Structure formats: structure tokens, C-alpha cells
Amino acid sequence: MSKKHSRDLKKQVLKTQVHDIIRAPYVVSQEGKPQAAVKVDQLQKSNGIFRVEGWLSSYERSPTIEIWVNNAPIAISCTFHERQDVSSSMKDTNPDLESQGFCIEWSEKPEEGDAYLLVCQLEEETPPLFFTLPGREYFNEAPQAVPYKEVESVIKQAKNSGAMTDFLNNAVWQTPDPLKAAAHIDSFGLIPARCGLMAGWMVAQPGWEMWGVDSQGNALNLASALRYQREDIVSLFRDTFGQRTVDAGFVMQWPHSISMSDTVGIVAYHPESKRAFEVARKQAVEVPNEPEGYARWAFTVATPAEKFNERLNGWEGELIETMLAERSRAFSHDEKAPDVMTLGKVPESPDISLIIPLYSRWDFVEHQLLAFSKDATLLETTEIIYVVDDPRILTAISNEVENLHRLYNVPFKVVWGHRNRGFSGANNLGVSVSRGRQVLLLNSDAFPTSPGWANQLSTLLDENPQYGLLGARLLNPEGGLQHAGMVFFYSQSWQVWLNKHPLAGLAPELDDVPEGAQIVDKPAVTGACVIMQRSLYDQLGGLDEGYLIGDFEDSDLCLKVLSEGYQLGYVPGVSLVHLERQSFSSLGDTSFRTLVVRFNAWRHTKRWGKQIQSVMQSFS
């Protein structure tokens, strides 16, 4: 691409292709026939040198490639080399295409936040293509690869570590043959000295096995990997591998304990002839050894929605559960006494302890205190406990609570447990410092519609000891029903039991409550407003802290109550307005939250599936 052409392009509005060129090739087709294709395989850096490697196919033998930073080209070196695997896969679909690999290098040191573009002109008369590349933090340190000529070192390491497998011991190593097998590792995340997660694609002719081999000599037959369809691989390799391209995508756990200096590769092996060759190798990126951090990375690794449960059942569910349990034990070992700030004179022997966790948003506190200030009975019988569950809001709350107390003359406590504990942990902490004989759990974005609501729930609980848990009616801000009891329904696509609010969105008049009924039996009630005896809460161990971030803790508590022989009740005569999930806006994008819900639903179903089925049969 000429300098004049580059200057002319800078004057235009750049049209960037909306395509992940690292995950899949970008193919230009006409009447179903490929005219050109380009793919980035990896981003690397080493000793201040940045490198982009990939391949392209076009009618032009000498295409031009540039790297642009902040919409301006930078100085690079670009070399081309033979890629037999690409040439073989493209020759039958369009034999006129020239296929070759490329390697781009530059030594500039861009600033954090710089925007990278890969600019390709595949044909002289066609406009260039612009592809967005990830930022510099996604450039991996160049791995110390173990090519097939040096695989003896892997074998030696395997012998020393006792990790030798039959195929490593017996294999006859040869030059890679792309007509026999091809593969690529798209992602390899590693929790050092624990395990990793590997994803990519692989295709092989009949009789060839695919093995994962790390640089410590550990080996694993990839037949155990979770497989799924990759249309991009089908398109590229159908003519070479035919039906063997079905379910070419894979994702799997790498169960071996290795270090960040190690690499993992894919080896093709033919058991009859003992031939073997390495087709791919990848340096790991480090993944947090912490449940939320691991999930935020791992859940971005592509897996079709219908396969996600297979991941959880295969390895990932148990891994995340183990991380959650380890974190809980570590926190328990180092636990500090919570800080408790008391504003005003709270009741010395309250009937009710009102527990309200605060996460992300705390501006609703003032609206709640305004409502509480108009409820004389509540102030006489209830201790109000706000549990700060977010260090980001601690300073702001500490600076304002005294003014709020003076303004509304409502006594309350503020509790800080020195860390974020989640919905369950925050409520459990609040209960641990409470003194009431009953505990009333309330979300920070729920507001009573009239005075006396808490004492009405308290009285009904005392007068009806067969009920272990009572929940209130919740309304949307516009007045429609949000919660009038919960039911469970089984999702065939997700293969889990989910919670459902059957009357959500309807007018309150459509809530078919038997005449004169103060309590209506339900399979479950929401934890946004629920009351129970403190003794039963302690007996059951409170809310389960083994769920990821949020969801299903309330129905888990309901099922624990049912398992002790109590009933669950919905009180239609007590109404609150609930804004719902206002604190969840800071938890990331919808897709991540959806997969968190799926993990929690999977865990919930594993624990309670049989009982849920029995409960729903009794309500049918």
C-alpha cells in the first residue's frame, strides 16, 4: 500500500469489518466461491518486539498488510512464508487462490489504550479491509515452542516426571502433514499449579488420534474433550476432511498442574504406524485462582448454549464449587470482628431484626428511612441493621449516615464485615450481630407501602408456627405484581430447575387469593422480603454462601425450610414496592450474568432437584 494511498485513507471515515479475525477467518465470497480470506492466528510480544502471525488467500501473490495505531500506519516489517495447510484446504474450493502465511513485527511501544487495526489490501483494485485487533495487553509473551524436531526434550521431561504415556514413548516423529490432521488452540487459560482451560478446533483423518501434550510431558487424549460445531472450520476444511469437520470445535479442562512457563500443544498420533507430529502449541494466559475471577474469564470461552451444562457436569461446576468452598474456609480462618456503628438508641430486646444488605447503590437508604420514620410500631419493636457489602461505598455511607439519622430520627446500625460477601454472606453477617427473636430480610430497593407491615408479618409468623418462612407481596413501581409467591419449572434446554414468578406483570386484582386468607401456601417465596424465626435461621445455617455472586439463595433457603417439615407462606396483605436488581447493574454484561445464573441453577438443581419435583407435584 503506497504512502499516498495511506494518506488518502486517513482522510476517509474508516470502515472496520465487524468480525473477530482471531476467532475465525474473514472470507470474501462470490456465488458461494471464496475470492479471498484472511485470518490472525496469534498475537505475541518478546523483548519489546510485537508480532502478529496469520495467513491469507487471494488472487494477488503480493498483497500488502499494514498495522495502524490510532488510525495511522506505523513502521513494520512483514514477511510471507509457505502455509501448506491453508493451501491444501483452499485448493479444492478455489484452486486459483494464492495462500501464504504472514508475520508482522514492529518495535514501537504504544501507550495503554491505543487502538490497533490490521489493514489488508488483498487485491490491487479492491478497497482495503480494516480489522480491529485487541489491545497490547492481549499480546502473549512468545512461547518457547517445542516443535516436532525437538520433541525429544518433551519425552525426556516426561520420563523424568513419570508422566510418560505409551504414544510418547513409542511415537515416530515426522514433519507435520496438514492433509492428515490440523488444529489450533484459540484459548489456553491456566491457574498455575492447579489446572487450565483449553479451547480451539481440530480435525483429523480416520485412524488418527489427537492428543494434548504440555511441555512437562503430561498427555491427554482429546477424545474426552467437549466437542461442538464450528461452521468456519467446516467451510475451510470440508473438502479435505469431509464429515470429519463435524464438531471440530472443542473446549476442555487441562487437569495437569503446570507453571506459567510451560506450554500446551496438540499432537496427531496414528496408533497403527506410530507416526506422530505436533500441529499446534500455545502459551497460557494466567487466570485467577478465585471463583468470580475465574468465571469472568472462563465464561468468555465460546461454548454453544446447549453445551454449557456439559461443561459444568464434566469439570467446571465442581471446580467453581471447590473454589467457593476454599475461599469461604480462607475467610473464616482470617475473619475479623465486624465494625458496628450504632446511630441512635435501638431497641434493647427487639422482636424483629431487619437486615438490609447494601451493594453498589446506597442512595435508597434515605427513601427507606423516610418510610420507617412514619412507622411508630416498627421503631418500637425492630432493630434496623444495614450491612455494607461493598468497599466502594463504605466511605460515602460512613460520611452520611449520621446526617440521615438526625434528619429522620430513625435508630439503626451500620455493619461492615471488611469484605464483599454477596447476598447470602451479607445477610448472614447481619443476623450474626442481631438480637431479635425473628429475622426479617429486606432488599435495599424495597419500600413498604404503608406502616405496620413488619409487625403484621411478625404477628402472622407467631400465630402460625407451622410456617417456617413468610414472604410479602411485591409490586413493580408502576403498580403491577412482581411477586406473589414463586414456583419452580424445569427448563429442557438448560436441563435445570428455574424459579418463576407466575403472576409477574399482572394487576394485583388478578392475584386469586382465597377469601379471608391471610397466608397462602406456596412452593417458594422471594428473599427480597422474607421473615422467619431466628432460631430456625440458625438451625438451618442461614443462607447458603456457595452460590456465585447471586441468585437461588432464597429458593435454597425455602427448600431447607421445607425439608424440616415446615410450610412456606405468602402474605398478600403486606405489600412493598421493589425496584428489583438495581445493584446488579455493576456485575458486567448480560451474557456473563446469564452464565452465572446457569451455574447457580445447575448447583441448585444438583442439590434440590428431586425435592423440587416432589414439591411441584404436591402443588399441581
Side-chain angles (χ1 to χ4, degrees), residues 461-519:
L461 187 66
D462 283 337
E463 293 177 348
N464 298 274
Q466 71 272 29
Y467 288 95
L469 201 66
L470 295 179
R473 171 184 282 178
L474 300 181
L475 305 174
N476 293 317
E478 70 276 10
L481 283 170
Q482 183 187 106
H483 170 262
M486 290 196 303
V487 299
F488 304 103
F489 77 98
Y490 190 78
S491 168
Q492 294 292 343
S493 58
W494 286 12
Q495 298 181 334
V496 292
W497 286 95
L498 297 173
N499 302 340
K500 183 177 181 180
H501 299 257
L503 300 179
L506 299 180
E509 307 86 71
L510 298 178
D511 186 7
D512 188 18
V513 177
E515 186 175 354
Q518 292 183 295
I519 303 175

Side-chain angles (χ1 to χ4, degrees), residues 148 151 155 165-175 180 206-209 211 267-278:
Y148 76 96
V151 78
I155 296 174
T165 61
D166 288 341
F167 99 85
L168 279 178
N169 190 35
N170 301 322
V172 178
W173 297 92
Q174 66 170 57
T175 303
K180 297 295 188 292
W208 286 84
E209 297 176 352
W211 286 73
V267 169
Y269 175 60
H270 194 266
E272 289 188 10
S273 65
K274 309 299 182 186
R275 287 178 295 162
F277 55 87
E278 186 172 271

Side-chain angles (χ1 to χ4, degrees), residues 423 441-443 469-474 482-487 499-501 522-531 553-555 557-558 569-570 578 580:
F423 176 80
L441 310 184
L442 183 70
N443 280 15
L469 201 66
L470 295 179
R473 171 184 282 178
L474 300 181
Q482 183 187 106
H483 170 262
M486 290 196 303
V487 299
N499 302 340
K500 183 177 181 180
H501 299 257
K522 294 291 180 179
V525 291
T526 182
C529 179
V530 65
I531 191 169
E553 300 101 325
D554 49 1
S555 53
L557 181 62
C558 289
Y570 155 63
H578 184 212
E580 192 173 32

Side-chain angles (χ1 to χ4, degrees), residues 323-368:
M323 288 181 176
L324 287 163
E326 288 174 350
R327 184 178 67 178
S328 179
R329 286 194 295 269
F331 281 142
S332 297
H333 182 267
D334 300 326
E335 198 72 87
K336 298 179 181 178
D339 296 335
V340 180
M341 182 189 306
T342 303
L343 288 304
K345 187 176 181 181
V346 299
E348 292 185 4
S349 300
D351 289 327
I352 308 167
S353 292
L354 177 56
I355 314 297
I356 308 171
L358 299 175
Y359 177 82
S360 183
R361 296 189 62 170
W362 67 278
D363 48 310
F364 298 127
V365 170
E366 184 168 4
H367 300 280
Q368 286 186 329

Side-chain angles (χ1 to χ4, degrees), residues 118 336 383 443 446 533:
L118 175 71
K336 298 179 181 178
E383 65 169 347
N443 280 15
Q533 302 292 352

